[in-house]
Amino acid sequence: MRYGQGGGLTDVGRATRERLRLQAVERFEGGEKNREIAAALRVSERSVERWRRAWRERGEAGVLSKGSPGRPRLGEAQVARLERELERGPLAHGWADQRWTLARVKTFIGRLFHVTYTVEGTWRLLKRHGWSWQQPARRAIERDDVAVEGLEEGDGRG
């Protein structure tokens, strides 16, 4: 194998992968067999079979790399829109309270852009763009200080 499984390639690596696939297309057009192409390009026969099928179905565009499937990214314009929408608050987007949790932001990104992130990926995206974990600026209205004090006294640590 000339390139690692699962993506994670640099721009140079992706360009190398593109060249390999386009070389395979030239060989398809020349009538070479999958085994010959795989040996010449030092890739698996299975990869050549996939490329040939994609080439038959969609032409040269079918074999071009679509990038890593595991790391969808938002563009700068999308991130700017996400920030504006997050600043409007969760209530404006259908949640019952004013707390943005990572799970909510993840769900919101999916609804807004049709892109899937993990909770950890959501955290990294937000952190990369200057968002941080925040505590509420004021105490919750529903807070029952008597109940909280009773828990502290009766918790066995006092």
Side-chain angles (χ1 to χ4, degrees):
M1 244 321 143
R2 274 207 178 161
Y3 52 86
Q5 295 286 341
L9 297 176
T10 63
D11 289 338
V12 172
R14 274 188 290 281
T16 300
R17 180 168 58 185
E18 292 293 321
R19 278 194 302 279
L20 279 174
R21 290 176 178 200
L22 293 174
Q23 288 172 10
V25 166
E26 289 175 10
R27 292 169 182 263
F28 297 154
E29 292 168 346
E32 289 186 44
K33 303 221 179 284
N34 290 349
R35 178 172 287 149
E36 296 167 355
I37 296 170
L41 298 179
R42 296 189 349 226
V43 298
S44 71
E45 277 187 66
R46 187 173 179 121
S47 290
V48 174
E49 289 168 7
R50 279 195 321 270
W51 297 343
R52 187 181 295 269
R53 188 176 333 110
W55 173 69
R56 275 194 210 119
E57 293 171 3
R58 296 181 302 280
E60 189 174 298
V63 298
L64 297 178
S65 173
K66 293 161 190 66
S68 172
R71 295 199 60 194
R73 297 192 185 264
L74 298 179
E76 288 305 312
Q78 291 173 311
V79 170
R81 180 176 177 204
L82 175 63
E83 288 180 0
R84 284 192 309 272
E85 295 299 327
L86 290 176
E87 286 171 357
R88 290 180 56 207
L91 284 173
H93 299 290
W95 276 279
D97 59 33
Q98 277 293 84
R99 290 178 302 137
W100 274 123
T101 63
L102 288 175
R104 285 181 179 181
V105 175
K106 171 189 176 295
T107 300
F108 184 63
I109 290 171
R111 288 178 185 166
L112 194 60
F113 302 111
H114 305 286
V115 172
T116 303
Y117 274 85
T118 62
V119 171
E120 183 179 345
T122 301
W123 167 240
R124 288 182 180 166
L125 172 73
L126 295 175
K127 186 176 179 184
R128 192 167 46 245
H129 290 279
W131 289 74
S132 64
W133 177 81
Q134 300 291 316
Q135 284 187 333
R138 54 192 160 81
R139 201 168 60 189
I141 296 171
E142 310 84 38
R143 180 175 165 142
D144 184 349
D145 289 329
V146 174
V148 171
E149 287 176 22
L151 288 174
E152 291 173 0
E153 291 172 5
D155 67 3
R157 292 183 285 164

